[in-house]
Amino acid sequence: MNLQQLKYIIAINRFRNFAKAADSCNISQPTLSTMLQKLEDELDVRIFDRSNKQVTPTSAGEKIIIQAQKTLIEAEKITELVAEEKNQIGNSLSLSVGPSIAPYILPQFIKHYRKKYPEVSLSIQERKSEEMLNALQNGEIDAGHFCL
């Protein structure tokens, strides 16, 4: 088992489609299928049911996917710790902001952030609070801000 395989099962779960998941991982669909099969063989469990052209996690697969998400988030922290030790800022920052506050806080934030960290790729999306929390838990975004 490796981190790449964990990324693949998270992509498969997210898209529920092998072709779309493979595309998001920048690999071919046969490579994705092979890596999933290797992981399932190693664990001796089916992670996804692939019937009737639908891809859904099995009961064990749901638990494995949740743990994979946690594992990848923790693994990313190692990279962040090393960057902090070297006084380096990351390559990108992905934010989500609630639609009701976006027009009020984003202009000033972007101005100050770009001035202080011009080398960082900044991605900002508007999301409702529930979607934002899910994205944070899944590691799809780095931070979020919304009003209750």
Side-chain angles (χ1 to χ4, degrees), residues 18 22 28 32 66 75 93 112 115-116:
F18 278 80
S28 69
L32 181 74
I66 289 169
L93 177 65
H112 292 291
K115 189 174 185 177
K116 189 165 183 172

Side-chain angles (χ1 to χ4, degrees), residues 62-76:
E62 288 178 0
K63 295 172 187 168
I64 292 167
I65 292 163
I66 289 169
Q67 191 60 46
Q69 290 169 330
K70 291 177 184 177
T71 300
L72 290 174
I73 289 169
E74 292 301 316
E76 180 61 31

Side-chain angles (χ1 to χ4, degrees), residues 12 22 27-28 34 40 44 48 57 80 82 84 88-89 104 116 135 138:
I12 295 167
I27 60 170
S28 69
T34 300
E40 288 179 329
D44 192 28
F48 294 98
E80 292 170 5
V82 171
E84 286 177 19
Q88 295 174 339
I89 300 297
Y104 304 104
K116 189 165 183 172
N138 295 336

Side-chain angles (χ1 to χ4, degrees), residues 68-122:
Q69 290 169 330
K70 291 177 184 177
T71 300
L72 290 174
I73 289 169
E74 292 301 316
E76 180 61 31
K77 288 181 183 178
I78 294 171
T79 305
E80 292 170 5
L81 289 171
V82 171
E84 286 177 19
E85 277 296 310
K86 295 179 178 181
N87 291 321
Q88 295 174 339
I89 300 297
N91 295 336
S92 64
L93 177 65
S94 177
L95 300 176
S96 184
V97 180
S100 62
I101 61 171
Y104 304 104
I105 66 169
L106 286 181
Q108 287 297 325
F109 171 78
I110 293 170
K111 178 182 173 186
H112 292 291
Y113 192 85
R114 284 276 178 230
K115 189 174 185 177
K116 189 165 183 172
Y117 306 106
E119 70 283 358
V120 176
S121 171
L122 182 61

Side-chain angles (χ1 to χ4, degrees), residues 11-22:
I12 295 167
N13 184 58
R14 179 176 179 198
F15 292 100
R16 303 288 171 104
N17 178 290
F18 278 80
K20 289 179 183 177

Side-chain angles (χ1 to χ4, degrees), residues 24-35:
S24 77
C25 295
N26 296 315
I27 60 170
S28 69
Q29 189 272 322
T31 300
L32 181 74
S33 295
T34 300
M35 295 301 286

